[in-house]
Amino acid sequence: MGDGRLEVDAISKRYGDVVALRDTTFDVRAGELFGFVGSNGAGKTTTMRIALGVLAADSGAVRWDGSPVTLETRRHIGYMPEERGLYPKMKVGEQLVYLARLHGLSASAAQRSMTDWTERLGVATRRDDDVQNLSLGNQQRVQLAAALVHNPSILVLDEPFSGLDPIAVEVMSGVLLDKAAEGIPVVFSSHQLDLVERLCHRVGIIRGGQMVAVGTVDELSAGGATEMVVDAPHAPEGWANGLAGVTVRRREGARTVLELGQGADDQAVLAAALATGPVTEFSRRRQSLTELYRNVVNQEAS
Amino acid sequence: MPEATRTFSSGEAVLLVAGREVRTKLRSKAYIITTVATVVLLIGFALVMKLVSGGSDATVGVTPQNAALAEPLKAVSSSIGQNVDTREVSEQDGRDQVADESVDALLVGQGDQLRVVVKKDIDENLRNALNVLAGQLALNQEIAQLGGDPAQVNATMAEAEVLVEPLEEPFPYDPQQLVLGIIAGILIYMSLQFTGQLVAQGVVEEKSSRVVELLLSTITPWQLMAGKVLGIGFVGFLQMAVIGGFGVAAALALGVLTIAVSTAVGTVVWLVVWYLLGFLMYSLLFAGLAALVSRQEDVGGVISPALMMVIAGYVVGISVLPTDPGNTLVGVLSIIPLFAPTLMPMRLAMGGVPWWEAALSVGLVVVLIPVLVWLAGRIYANAVMRSGARVKLTDALRTA
């Protein structure tokens, strides 16, 4: 209670016979950047829409700071829908002020906030242009400004990085990290797993409407097998065979990639390697989110 | 549920949405142009009416020998509805004036035989007037020869007329009010069409640009729909008041309208009342229906059933009422809510509507509006987030 967490608690949703979400549960802590990943149609957008009240869940609840999210709470959420949208024939500045006011800001506060955010996101010179006359990249920046202009206490962004150029990705990442540093929960979905791994404190993987993994990348990879890379130039073929809990994955020239099962002793591996001669590399390779994701999704599929 | 720090009432949300609609629509070129053009058109119409009614139908030159015929010619002409001016000129000047068309005809010759000089041919009405005058002169001559007094006979004849005894006292329709009724019908029809389509296009604009998802994350569908309808309704109301006000003021100032000022003002007030009722009724229908589609191209198709009702009422009214203002069928239709907004203001402007009919038609629409608010709100809320193919009406009515 009162910890500023955004909790998604066992929400379910079906469209006719199609189950979109089944008891989806996760939470985003205050000050945390949470990455929400999953393939297309897995239920990311449906979850976010339910959190924003744009869609009604069949069961389950969304809570913020311990209480159910109401229309009043939603005014404190900054939202970037997957389907980008602004009034095409309305001026950038006017539009942002309007959206800020719809979220409860006074006219003067809305004006100030619009000025701040258009400057910060580099679209200050386009304030008097209609949105439809902006380049796609600038429209994305205005869209982000629309999610931030009312100084939200929660950020929910659906695919904020899609379609951004590298500079804009940096700007967006910076803004999200800053917002999390201010102590608000930030959740965003993305298909760019390396970006999610680099930015997010925790990730959630959704598959077929169910959360299949939630945690830090380290936590998620901890349970699984560990990969090791050993570079022993004089080691003969099959030097590592017979070591307990160790499987040889492949050989890359002089390097051998091994998989260590649960309880396997990496020191025994090192000893075996040294027995063949000099060892120039001996490293543990952490599973990347991409590999983790592939494993989780394949595991479920089989 | 705890109250958040910033409170924000439903009314404020509706007003914010309405405010945006008013600001953007008042700035739109289409709106400004239609308003100004209609005002100019009405004032122009009033000017034309003044020129037509003020001037004479024909000017006839009269030679000094025929000067005595000038007054009888005017009298005879006015008895057949012609307004003829006369001008005394010498025969030579008169012929010149006929040639340059500054007079339509020149009365020449002596006493009993009427002869006119015209440029090419004579206006049919003027010929009738002159024929009646010729007949009159011949008759006078005969009476004088029989020893009677032509002046006395004419006076007696003028008094003789048939007495009509109506079983039901008909309403004396004033031709000016008939014209007023037609104008009222055209205005309300134009305005309902214009504002109704603005509402429908506005709904689809939000849907097709996807901005609706962003809006609905902070306000309810109902607040969005109500704000839109109120905002555009106000814009249309402003237009109607400006057009009606300028039109009536111009007509009264130019002296084209000779009906009482109170009747003219009454027409404008009724026009505004019926515009508001009709707008609320139809724009709710339009908003609900428009929410079913996602592309501007589909708006026309989806709102056409509702639009047909507006058009049907207008067409029936404009084709029947001017010739038969007391038509029973139109009277019945004008009480049915779907047709009332176009037909009732026309009938009211023409006059002769029993008070209970006026009250009943207003009452029925007022009762219908809350039903439409509920119905349209439900369709809108269920359909506005479903983009892509057209949503079936039955699906939209079912609970989402």
Side-chain angles (χ1 to χ4, degrees):
Chain A
M1 293 292 273
D3 53 3
R5 267 193 320 155
L6 178 69
E7 292 170 83
V8 172
D9 188 6
I11 53 173
S12 297
K13 174 79 185 173
R14 48 165 64 237
Y15 297 107
D17 294 333
V18 184
V19 177
L21 290 179
R22 197 182 301 133
D23 285 334
T24 301
T25 304
F26 65 95
D27 67 336
V28 185
R29 296 161 196 162
E32 176 180 79
L33 209 52
F34 186 91
F36 197 21
V37 301
S39 49
N40 291 328
K44 302 186 297 290
T45 296
T46 304
T47 307
M48 291 188 170
R49 283 183 166 175
I50 288 172
L52 265 297
V54 175
L55 207 63
D58 296 335
S59 63
V62 180
R63 280 186 291 272
W64 178 57
D65 216 12
S67 337
V69 168
T70 60
L71 189 66
E72 190 55 51
T73 338
R74 284 188 197 113
R75 301 226 157 87
H76 303 266
I77 305 183
Y79 180 42
M80 191 188 234
E82 182 194 27
E83 308 264 29
R84 304 286 190 260
L86 294 164
Y87 287 104
K89 289 176 191 155
M90 202 172 170
K91 294 190 171 71
V92 169
E94 221 177 303
Q95 179 140 222
L96 291 175
V97 169
Y98 173 62
L99 289 170
R101 296 209 59 199
L102 272 189
H103 283 85
L105 256 62
S106 70
S108 56
Q111 188 68 37
R112 242 177 294 124
S113 182
M114 181 278 287
T115 312
D116 288 352
W117 280 109
T118 45
E119 261 160 31
R120 190 155 166 201
L121 295 174
V123 284
T125 54
R126 313 309 300 270
R127 276 177 207 148
D128 289 327
D129 289 337
D130 284 353
V131 169
Q132 64 182 0
N133 296 333
L134 263 55
S135 68
L136 208 61
N138 278 337
Q139 286 190 21
Q140 293 270 32
R141 288 166 193 244
V142 176
Q143 192 84 49
L144 177 63
L148 296 165
V149 74
H150 55 283
N151 306 320
S153 314
I154 308 164
L155 271 182
V156 178
L157 311 168
D158 204 348
E159 302 279 355
F161 292 100
S162 80
L164 292 189
D165 63 52
I167 307 267
V169 167
E170 283 313 305
V171 172
M172 176 75 78
S173 314
V175 169
L176 296 191
L177 286 168
D178 287 353
K179 278 284 153 187
E182 282 172 25
I184 72 171
V186 179
V187 52
F188 72 91
S189 66
S190 181
H191 288 303
Q192 281 150 279
L193 298 178
D194 49 337
L195 196 66
V196 173
E197 183 171 1
R198 180 158 64 84
L199 289 178
C200 293
H201 305 109
R202 288 196 311 146
V203 295
I205 303 176
I206 189 167
R207 199 195 149 274
Q210 271 183 305
M211 291 302 280
V212 286
V214 180
T216 63
V217 175
D218 283 338
E219 280 166 14
L220 295 186
S221 54
T226 312
E227 270 192 351
M228 296 220 65
V229 179
V230 182
D231 189 352
H234 304 303
E237 196 77 37
W239 64 271
N241 291 350
L243 289 168
V246 175
T247 2
V248 179
R249 275 313 206 192
R250 59 187 177 273
R251 280 187 72 117
E252 298 168 352
R255 299 159 90 199
T256 312
V257 180
L258 305 167
E259 187 184 307
L260 270 64
Q262 213 98 48
D265 182 4
D266 55 356
Q267 294 311 306
V269 176
L270 180 58
L274 284 170
T276 68
V279 174
T280 53
E281 182 186 350
F282 181 79
S283 62
R284 192 178 266 272
R285 188 149 79 180
R286 198 184 70 159
Q287 255 182 315
S288 72
L289 180 60
T290 312
E291 289 164 313
L292 206 61
Y293 175 77
R294 201 184 297 129
N295 287 346
V296 169
V297 170
N298 289 342
Q299 188 185 333
E300 291 289 318
S302 58
Chain B
M1 277 175 264
E3 280 291 317
T5 43
R6 284 172 291 183
T7 51
F8 191 63
S9 75
S10 186
E12 267 179 275
V14 171
L15 280 182
L16 271 173
V17 175
R20 194 198 82 90
E21 294 296 339
V22 172
R23 272 198 309 281
T24 51
K25 296 301 177 293
L26 284 185
R27 263 188 258 150
S28 92
K29 285 196 191 79
Y31 177 76
I32 296 169
I33 291 171
T34 44
T35 312
V36 171
T38 317
V39 168
V40 168
L41 218 65
L42 271 182
I43 294 176
F45 181 68
L47 275 172
V48 169
M49 291 298 284
K50 182 179 172 63
L51 290 178
V52 168
S53 65
S56 57
D57 296 313
T59 310
V60 177
V62 184
T63 53
Q65 300 95 310
N66 287 313
L69 289 177
E71 281 314 309
L73 175 59
K74 282 186 192 172
V76 163
S77 302
S78 73
S79 77
I80 64 166
Q82 285 290 297
N83 193 355
V84 172
D85 264 355
T86 58
R87 183 188 299 171
E88 204 178 308
V89 285
S90 73
E91 181 159 347
Q92 193 48 53
D93 287 352
R95 285 179 182 274
D96 290 344
Q97 287 180 13
V98 170
D100 69 19
E101 292 181 8
S102 58
V103 297
D104 296 288
L106 176 68
L107 205 56
V108 294
Q110 290 283 350
D112 33 356
Q113 181 60 45
L114 277 185
R115 258 177 59 213
V116 286
V117 177
V118 297
K119 189 170 184 189
K120 271 190 188 139
D121 46 15
I122 187 164
D123 174 67
E124 208 46 46
N125 292 319
L126 187 57
R127 181 199 288 271
N128 286 341
L130 288 166
N131 279 340
V132 173
L133 179 63
Q136 184 84 58
L137 289 177
L139 190 63
N140 286 357
Q141 236 165 27
E142 290 295 315
I143 293 167
Q145 272 178 14
L146 290 170
D149 178 1
Q152 201 184 335
V153 173
N154 285 336
T156 315
M157 274 182 62
E159 274 169 28
E161 63 169 350
V162 66
L163 277 176
V164 179
E165 185 192 315
L167 290 175
E168 260 178 67
E169 196 62 47
F171 183 82
Y173 288 101
D174 181 337
Q176 286 198 348
Q177 280 185 250
L178 292 186
V179 173
L180 216 54
I182 295 169
I183 295 177
I186 294 174
L187 280 184
I188 211 149
Y189 166 71
M190 269 178 38
S191 192
L192 284 183
Q193 263 219 345
F194 183 66
T195 51
Q197 305 214 31
L198 276 186
V199 170
Q201 283 166 3
V203 168
V204 176
E205 182 197 16
E206 281 165 3
K207 218 180 150 179
S208 66
S209 71
R210 321 276 194 194
V211 74
V212 70
E213 186 167 348
L214 203 55
L215 300 176
L216 292 187
S217 68
T218 180
I219 57 176
T220 65
W222 191 88
Q223 289 167 343
L224 183 57
M225 189 186 80
K228 183 168 284 294
V229 166
L230 278 184
I232 294 178
F234 175 76
V235 168
F237 164 79
L238 211 62
Q239 186 179 46
M240 187 62 87
V242 166
I243 292 172
F246 268 104
V248 168
L252 288 173
L254 289 169
V256 175
L257 268 185
T258 49
I259 57 170
V261 175
S262 63
T263 315
V265 171
T267 301
V268 174
V269 169
W270 270 122
L271 194 60
V272 167
V273 166
W274 271 108
Y275 161 72
L276 289 178
L277 292 175
F279 172 77
L280 269 182
M281 199 176 89
Y282 277 113
S283 60
L284 287 168
L285 275 179
F286 286 158
L289 289 175
L292 297 174
V293 299
S294 308
R295 299 181 308 164
Q296 290 291 1
E297 302 93 277
D298 299 330
V299 178
V302 78
I303 64 170
S304 65
L307 204 55
M308 284 309 290
M309 298 294 167
V310 182
I311 296 174
Y314 168 73
V315 168
V316 167
I318 208 86
S319 49
V320 174
L321 287 178
T323 49
D324 186 6
N327 188 286
T328 320
L329 174 69
V330 177
V332 172
L333 286 180
S334 71
I335 296 173
I336 298 172
L338 277 177
F339 303 108
T342 41
L343 289 177
M344 201 38 116
M346 290 174 85
R347 288 189 63 209
L348 287 165
M350 292 176 176
V353 180
W355 69 268
W356 66 266
E357 284 187 21
L360 180 63
S361 61
V362 171
L364 285 178
V365 173
V366 168
V367 169
L368 186 65
I369 284 174
V371 178
L372 284 176
V373 167
W374 176 83
L375 195 72
R378 190 179 173 98
I379 297 174
Y380 184 85
N382 285 339
V384 79
M385 279 294 296
R386 289 202 230 167
S387 48
R390 178 174 166 169
V391 182
K392 278 199 198 125
L393 192 57
T394 45
D395 288 350
L397 281 171
R398 241 178 273 140
T399 337

